[in-house]
């Protein structure tokens, strides 16, 4: 593959030159209708296939929330009047609904503002509480940015952090994890389902290993809750992060599961009135908590159906794309994966160019938390993806409300524009002629 610099040079060359195709025909890319997307008119809003970034609010969740945004507006921590009592009752019901989904006791569920806060409390809170005796934390190179940044903050406080590599399929090696655990280790943090490539880590195995080593196990389950079955006791999970807006609930609410027996001690990172067992001070937003509870309740009843729907739609999308386009690579393990998250690399196509061409479909080239960066995805680089392929990746996020028509339309548009962009690429033309791109030594001027 070409270096990033060489690709930019070729793109610049394309912008100002008229290239000759293999047939000898002169192509003016600025005027050739086959290669122009200027005449495409976007009628209405784009289709939404970015379910890993966020999900739409389920109408049933909104119905549950509305009374607490209008009539029942009391502070759930006010104990002296009916307004507070009715809000507190609603919050506790929501807590029970979250706990029921993950097989926990309601007293083990702490409401937060989202998975980012839950991850910060877990990683920093455990490390600091047990930091007098244990100064070692283990995580992986493909964790969410908030976990990685929390670990870097701990390194600044004198902690030692091991960032485990992952295999080419995105899964960690259990042998490497076991070797990394020392008597100094206080916490292992491994996400359940990766937000970029959808890979499912062997959470139950990790939990058993950590329990045998007397090490706390935290998992970021924002992309897994309500989508795959999770039982915190069977999986030996000590702390788990949950996000509301990833399961068709409202934004601004999440939860943290913290085991009580045997008790897990966490140092709070926020000072205040001592709400939520003193782990997360601040007024619990009743409407949002009710929304999260309702979303978890719906997920517990419809998870199996939703999962079958994801499998059907993801297979349909990939079958159509792979049948028409050569040199398309699926990133991540094809078996140990959540079917609603599909990450594909289209060789010899710039991912950002494809996203711009697919303007009538809302897609992503990676995590919404890091997509402002022009650097290739650190998750894809961690699994050994070439830089050029990492730049050519697109994430397709299928959700509960995605339709067959939307998947078919997306596949057709994707096939059309990948073909168009490749036809414009001199690299693709060289590959078609049998030239080994990797063997070329490109000179810099």
């Amino acid at each position: 593959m070409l270096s990033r610099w060489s690709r930019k040079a070729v793109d610049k060359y394309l912008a100002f030159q008229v290239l000759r195709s293999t047939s000898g025909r002169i192509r003016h890319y600025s005027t050739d209708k086959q290669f122009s997307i200027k005449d495409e008119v976007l009628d209405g809003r784009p289709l939404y296939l970015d379910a890993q970034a966020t999900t739409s609010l389920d109408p049933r969740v909104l119905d549950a929330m509305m009374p607490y945004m209008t009539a029942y507006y009391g502070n759930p921590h006010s104990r002296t009047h009916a307004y507070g009592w009715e809000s507190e009752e609603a919050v506790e019901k929501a807590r029970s609904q979250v706990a029921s989904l993950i097989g926990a006791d309601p007293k083990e569920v702490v409401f937060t503002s989202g998975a980012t806060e839950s991850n910060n409390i877990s990683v920093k809170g455990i490390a600091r509480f047990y930091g007098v005796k244990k100064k070692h934390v283990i995580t992986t190179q493909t964790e969410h940015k908030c976990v990685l940044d929390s670990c870097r903050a701990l390194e600044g406080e004198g902690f030692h952090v091991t960032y485990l590599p992952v295999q080419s399929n995105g899964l960690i090696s259990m042998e490497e994890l076991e070797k990394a655990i020392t008597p100094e280790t206080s916490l292992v943090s491994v996400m359940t389902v990766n937000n970029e490539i959808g890979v499912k880590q062997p959470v139950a195995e990790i939990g058993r290993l950590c329990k045998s080593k007397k090490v706390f196990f935290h998992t970021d389950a924002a992309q897994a809750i309500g989508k795959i079955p999770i039982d915190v006791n069977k999986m030996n999970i000590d702390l788990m992060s949950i996000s509301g807006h990833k399961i068709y609930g409202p934004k601004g609410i999440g939860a943290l599961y913290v085991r009580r027996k045997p008790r897990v001690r966490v140092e709070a990172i926020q000072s205040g009135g001592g709400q939520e067992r003193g782990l997360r001070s601040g007024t619990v937003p009743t409407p949002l908590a009710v929304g999260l509870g309702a979303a978890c309740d719906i997920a517990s009843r419809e998870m199996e159906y939703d999962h079958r729907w994801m499998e059907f739609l993801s297979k349909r999308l990939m079958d159509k794309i792979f049948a028409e386009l050569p040199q398309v690579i699926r990133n991540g393990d094809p078996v140990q994966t959540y079917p609603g998250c599909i990450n594909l690399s289209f060789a010899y196509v710039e991912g950002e160019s494809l996203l711009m061409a697919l303007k009538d479909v809302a897609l992503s080239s990676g995590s919404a938390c890091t997509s402002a960066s022009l650097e290739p995805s650190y998750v894809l680089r961690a699994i050994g993806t070439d830089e050029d392929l990492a730049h050519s990746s697109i994430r397709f996020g299928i959700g509960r409300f995605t339709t067959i028509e939307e998947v078919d339309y997306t596949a057709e548009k994707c096939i059309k524009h990948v073909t168009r962009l490749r036809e414009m690429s001199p690299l693709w033309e060289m590959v078609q002629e049998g030239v080994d791109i990797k063997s070329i030594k490109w000179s810099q001027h």
Side-chain angles (χ1 to χ4, degrees):
M1 291 291 177
L2 292 177
S3 68
R4 181 77 173 145
W5 182 92
S6 300
R7 293 191 65 175
K8 285 183 177 178
V10 171
D11 289 342
K12 187 175 181 181
Y13 180 77
L14 276 171
F16 296 102
Q17 301 295 324
V18 178
L19 300 179
R20 187 178 300 277
S21 72
T22 52
S23 64
R25 179 168 60 91
I26 298 295
R27 286 177 175 165
H28 295 268
Y29 290 112
S30 60
T31 58
D32 194 329
K33 292 291 184 181
Q34 179 184 353
F35 301 101
S36 175
I37 61 172
K38 292 182 179 179
D39 297 332
E40 292 186 1
V41 179
L42 181 59
D43 184 18
R45 302 185 73 196
L47 306 182
Y48 190 77
L49 262 77
D50 198 15
Q52 276 65 54
T54 193
T55 57
S56 61
L57 189 68
D58 191 302
R60 294 167 291 182
V61 172
L62 180 60
D63 287 344
M65 293 172 61
M66 282 302 292
Y68 299 93
M69 301 179 79
T70 52
Y72 304 106
Y73 49 81
N75 186 321
H77 311 295
S78 297
R79 303 292 175 83
T80 57
H81 50 70
Y83 287 86
W85 301 335
E86 60 198 15
S87 291
E88 181 185 24
E89 183 180 357
V91 167
E92 293 310 312
K93 178 185 176 182
R95 198 187 306 276
S96 296
Q97 289 171 320
V98 176
S100 177
L101 179 62
I102 61 176
D105 186 296
K107 294 179 181 178
E108 298 175 310
V109 174
V110 174
F111 286 116
T112 66
S113 63
T116 291
E117 184 181 8
S118 297
N119 286 336
N120 272 264
I121 294 172
S122 299
V123 176
K124 295 174 182 174
I126 286 285
R128 289 170 180 169
F129 189 91
Y130 296 95
V132 175
K133 296 182 178 179
K134 296 186 174 185
K135 287 278 189 179
H136 182 223
V137 172
I138 299 173
T139 189
T140 76
Q141 296 176 2
T142 56
E143 292 300 300
H144 191 275
K145 197 172 187 296
C146 65
V147 171
L148 297 176
D149 283 355
S150 293
C151 288
R152 292 188 186 101
L154 291 176
E155 287 181 303
E157 298 174 17
F159 289 86
H160 172 57
V161 179
T162 298
Y163 300 93
L164 282 178
V166 293
Q167 303 169 87
S168 60
N169 61 359
L171 297 172
I172 67 166
S173 164
M174 291 301 299
E175 291 76 16
E176 291 297 318
L177 174 58
E178 187 168 5
K179 289 178 185 176
I181 297 176
T182 72
E184 291 285 306
T185 307
S186 61
L187 178 72
V188 170
S189 180
V190 180
M191 72 190 332
T192 308
V193 171
N194 187 271
N195 56 306
E196 289 196 35
I197 58 177
V199 167
K200 290 191 301 185
Q201 297 292 350
V203 173
E205 291 181 53
I206 298 170
R208 280 196 301 271
L209 175 62
C210 291
K211 185 177 182 180
S212 69
K213 299 286 186 178
K214 293 182 171 55
V215 173
F216 294 121
F217 174 41
H218 163 254
T219 185
D220 174 2
Q223 299 288 347
I225 288 295
K227 300 172 184 177
I228 62 173
I230 290 181
D231 188 304
V232 291
N233 292 308
K234 291 179 181 178
M235 294 179 170
N236 294 298
I237 297 169
D238 296 304
L239 303 103
M240 183 167 66
S241 302
I242 299 169
S243 174
H245 71 103
K246 301 296 171 68
I247 54 169
Y248 312 94
K251 295 171 180 62
I253 188 72
L256 173 62
Y257 161 76
V258 184
R259 182 177 293 281
R260 285 169 64 90
K261 295 180 181 180
R263 189 175 183 185
V264 177
R265 306 296 295 272
V266 179
E267 182 178 303
I269 62 173
Q270 182 168 303
S271 302
Q275 293 91 341
E276 298 299 285
R277 292 169 47 193
L279 297 178
R280 203 276 182 180
S281 293
T283 302
V284 174
T286 306
L288 300 183
V290 168
L292 175 58
C296 288
D297 183 55
I298 293 168
S300 66
R301 291 184 276 111
E302 300 184 1
M303 187 188 308
E304 186 178 348
Y305 175 85
D306 283 350
H307 198 273
R308 288 201 305 268
W309 185 239
M310 301 301 133
E311 288 179 326
F312 170 74
L313 291 181
S314 64
K315 184 178 185 302
R316 189 180 182 94
L317 177 68
M318 287 189 291
D319 284 349
K320 286 180 175 291
I321 290 176
F322 283 107
E324 297 292 332
L325 294 175
Q327 299 208 35
V328 179
I329 298 94
R330 180 176 185 178
N331 297 305
D333 192 276
V335 178
Q336 295 301 321
T337 186
Y338 170 64
C341 181
I342 305 164
N343 192 302
L344 301 179
S345 288
F346 300 89
Y348 309 104
V349 172
E350 186 71 36
E352 297 299 326
S353 299
L354 183 55
L355 283 179
M356 290 175 65
L358 293 167
K359 56 188 176 182
D360 46 359
V361 183
L363 296 164
S364 171
S365 58
S367 168
C369 306
T370 55
S371 59
S373 171
L374 293 177
E375 292 299 311
S377 160
Y378 67 88
V379 173
L380 296 183
R381 296 309 302 272
I383 65 175
T385 304
D386 288 342
E387 184 174 348
D388 286 4
L389 282 176
H391 275 290
S392 72
S393 71
I394 299 292
R395 183 183 66 183
F396 299 84
I398 299 171
R400 177 182 292 164
F401 303 113
T402 305
T403 66
I404 294 175
E405 291 78 11
E406 288 174 332
V407 165
D408 289 349
Y409 181 86
T410 300
E412 290 165 10
K413 282 286 186 176
C414 189
I415 292 165
K416 172 186 173 182
H417 289 299
V418 168
T419 302
R420 177 183 65 84
L421 290 169
R422 283 177 172 175
E423 283 291 319
M424 295 172 64
S425 169
L427 299 181
W428 178 250
E429 189 170 332
M430 293 166 68
V431 169
Q432 296 303 101
E433 293 174 348
V435 177
D436 183 3
I437 299 295
K438 292 184 177 180
S439 66
I440 298 176
K441 294 183 178 180
W442 298 87
S443 61
Q444 298 185 14
H445 298 284

